[in-house]
Amino acid sequence: MSHSGKNNNTTTTATNITELGFHNLSFCDDALSCEANKPDFRELDLGSPVSPLRTRPSGLTATSTTTTTTTSSSSSSSGSVSGQTRLNPVNKRHDSIPNSHSGELSGSSETSPTAPTRKPGHARSDSGSVSGHPLIYSGQSSHQSSVSSPPPNVLPTGNICPSGKILKTGIGLTSNRSSRTDTLGSGMGHYGHGSIMRGGSNHIVGGGSATSIKSGGSLAVGPENANVNRNRGGICGGDAEELKKMGNELYRKGCFGEALSMYDKAISLAPGNAAFRSNRAAALTGLGRIGEAVKECEEAVRLDPNYWRAHQRLGSLLVRLGQVENARRHLCLSGQQADPTEVHRLQVVEKHLSKCTDARKVGDWKSALREGDAAIAAGADFSPQLSMCRVEALLKLHQLEDAESSLSNIPKIEPSTVSSSQTRFFGMLSEAYTFFVRAQIEMALGRFENAVTAAEKAGQIDPRNVEVAVLLNNVKLVARARARGNDLFKSERFTEACQAYGEGLRFDPSNSVLYCNRAACWFKLGQWERSVEDSNQALLIQPNYTKALLRRAASNSKLEKWADAVRDFEVLRRELPDDNEIAESLFHAQVSLKKSRGEEVYNMKFGGEVEEVSSLEQFRAAVSLPGVSVVHFKSASNLHCKQISPYVETLCGRYPSINFLKVDIDESPGVAHAENVRIVPTFKIYKNGSRMKEIVCPSRDMLEHSVRHYSF
């Protein structure tokens, strides 16, 4: 319908690509540049009824060039274009590239010709595309309607078709229109003059460069870097794309934390963008947050199940977690060429893991330890279960200290991922196995309450596993037996306590704590030989078990096996140098050993003060005594002597089995002359009358080191 008295000018309705239904088109190899989202409205002739936006004059990088133009309309009181004709455009694809995502790194790129410019208001066909097809619609409208109600989904003459096809006049694209009101852009932000915004939506598209993505079958470690958004939640805005680009640059510089922040902001604007999630996973991997990276990859695959790059990244991460079956499902997708490097790594890890499982079944813990370490070295370097297998093997090999220290090196996967929660290791769920091993370690260390808690957690996670159920039952029985034995021991019912500890050992025959506790009962009952036997068994399981060593030393003393007692007490003295009770026990054992050998022992006392020597005869008699003697030659006027003399008193109390002597060279010059002492302070160490060492002006540490060395 036309208005009289007005020029019948054709009015072009401007809509954004989303409104025209271009989201139904499939772009596999071409990427829309968010830089081109913002139309250059300064070149528009707003007075013209047809105002197609100009494309950027710069060259566009593409394997197959696609030019997308957003047009804007200006209202006119005369004439309108109406008419609807459905269009089924043919999507142009590269068969060799199954998926393409925003942010993917381009394997290769070619330079496309610079897109020709058009003057505002002109509706001309342009055949300057690479494929040779014209990129401008041409045709005539068949209907007219009121200017106040322009028909939707019409591509008027002069509009550019993103797919490179030619449409007839009045051909439109169908789209789902909402009831929200449309607003006309004012040129702010990413909208140009005349851009129609659907109900305030921030989904923006525009003409720009296209980039071909070629993966070549290899896994990309870093973030993807293409401009196509395969967004299940809608096309992301230019702000999100810019944030992604900033994140990619930071990632390349190794600034993973800053890159992660950029990706987080991009995801907040486009939460349905799978590539953003995959990029975020790359940054998390760089930060060592493997568990979070796996969750992000899982989310990317959920958003786009055909996203090959996300599958590859997820498969690589799952290999590091030792989840070989899950990793294979993602690395070896049907119809896709798997990365040979990743597949080889998967196969090597799987081989060692299989051998480790077989060795564990038959109790070959040395082989289990070797194969588990080999699997970790081959690529499963972030697997908590393989690390826990190492702990279990060390425990079974009676290397409790190494097993306990290895617990601090267990990788922590937080939060738990969907894939890991259902993965099985050695026949039990992965999380259950972690608690299964921890319960055994807690038991071996005598922390029975913690062991019960860990075993119960393992049972809750995998209640049907037989191995977990047996362990849980044994842990509870052992903890109950140990608690009963302790109560009986406190009540001095030592025979019954021995029986209680023995009951616990039936369920856990390699528990060093129960052996040591029973040895204490045997000692109280006067059965020292049996006490030594249980102490030996405890030390066989835990070689550096201090309490078991003390039980054995005390029992050997009762059995008058002085050489064995002295040997154990000397070890304890080195480990506990400040324990006076052990020092006194060692002293009496040494004296008894000398007597048993027929050596002359007299005037030997434990502890006391530093003895002052005033004559040569007294000096020679003192240093000739059995044992070790330390002589301090000093001068009352020497500053260094004044500083170190109090420390000599401290050493005398710390090493009571050693005789400490002091000689003032000013008051006893004969002794100093006989010993050829010219500088003070000087220390001389004698053992059984023979001089062992001489130290001049030593530091405190040097002096104590020498005293400790000759005290054993």
Side-chain angles (χ1 to χ4, degrees), residues 248-262:
N248 291 356
E249 289 300 321
L250 290 167
Y251 182 94
R252 293 187 187 97
K253 296 176 182 178
C255 303
F256 303 121
E258 292 84 347
L260 180 63
S261 178
M262 293 296 104

Side-chain angles (χ1 to χ4, degrees), residues 48 339 343 362 450 460 530 533 576 615 623 665 668 685:
S48 172
D339 180 11
V343 172
V362 298
N450 294 347
Q460 292 169 1
R530 301 189 71 172
E533 290 176 1
L576 305 170
S615 65
V623 298
I665 63 172
S668 304
I685 301 176

Side-chain angles (χ1 to χ4, degrees), residues 477-550:
L477 291 174
V478 171
R480 190 179 303 133
R482 179 251 191 180
R484 183 169 175 269
N486 288 356
D487 292 339
L488 292 170
F489 187 90
K490 293 176 183 177
S491 302
E492 297 184 356
R493 298 160 64 181
F494 303 117
T495 302
E496 295 176 68
C498 280
Q499 295 174 352
Y501 293 133
E503 185 70 15
L505 286 169
R506 287 203 312 103
F507 299 104
D508 188 8
S510 61
N511 193 289
S512 60
V513 175
L514 295 180
Y515 279 115
C516 185
N517 286 4
R518 194 169 70 174
C521 293
W522 294 130
F523 185 87
K524 291 291 185 179
L525 292 170
Q527 300 186 37
W528 298 304
E529 289 184 353
R530 301 189 71 172
S531 178
V532 170
E533 290 176 1
D534 276 354
S535 297
N536 287 338
Q537 193 66 33
L539 289 168
L540 180 64
I541 299 169
Q542 190 176 349
N544 296 324
Y545 195 176
T546 302
K547 283 188 177 181
L549 193 63
L550 183 59

Side-chain angles (χ1 to χ4, degrees), residues 201-215:
S201 174
N202 62 351
H203 291 172
I204 308 166
V205 295
S209 62
T211 305
S212 174
I213 316 299
K214 294 185 179 180
S215 59

Side-chain angles (χ1 to χ4, degrees), residues 157-196:
T157 302
N159 277 13
I160 298 176
C161 176
S163 62
K165 299 298 182 178
I166 305 175
L167 297 183
K168 297 181 180 180
T169 302
I171 290 180
L173 297 178
T174 60
S175 64
N176 297 325
R177 295 182 58 86
S178 67
S179 59
R180 295 178 296 177
T181 60
D182 298 343
T183 59
L184 194 62
S186 59
M188 300 297 291
H190 290 275
Y191 297 93
H193 268 296
S195 292
I196 294 178

Side-chain angles (χ1 to χ4, degrees), residues 278-301:
S278 183
N279 283 14
R280 188 174 191 272
L284 289 168
T285 303
L287 293 171
R289 294 156 62 177
I290 304 300
E292 296 176 69
V294 170
K295 288 186 73 69
E296 286 300 313
C297 284
E298 289 176 341
E299 179 64 13
V301 170

Side-chain angles (χ1 to χ4, degrees), residues 635-652:
S635 174
S637 59
N638 185 274
L639 179 60
H640 195 179
C641 292
K642 292 180 180 180
Q643 293 174 343
I644 204 168
S645 291
Y647 188 65
V648 176
E649 299 286 346
T650 301
L651 293 177
C652 181

Side-chain angles (χ1 to χ4, degrees), residues 89-129:
V90 179
N91 298 333
K92 187 173 181 179
R93 286 180 174 267
H94 283 283
D95 295 334
S96 61
I97 305 170
N99 292 305
S100 174
H101 281 262
S102 172
E104 293 185 355
L105 293 172
S106 175
S108 64
S109 63
E110 301 172 5
T111 303
S112 66
T114 302
T117 60
R118 295 179 301 280
K119 296 182 180 180
H122 286 238
R124 294 187 178 181
S125 297
D126 189 352
S127 59
S129 64

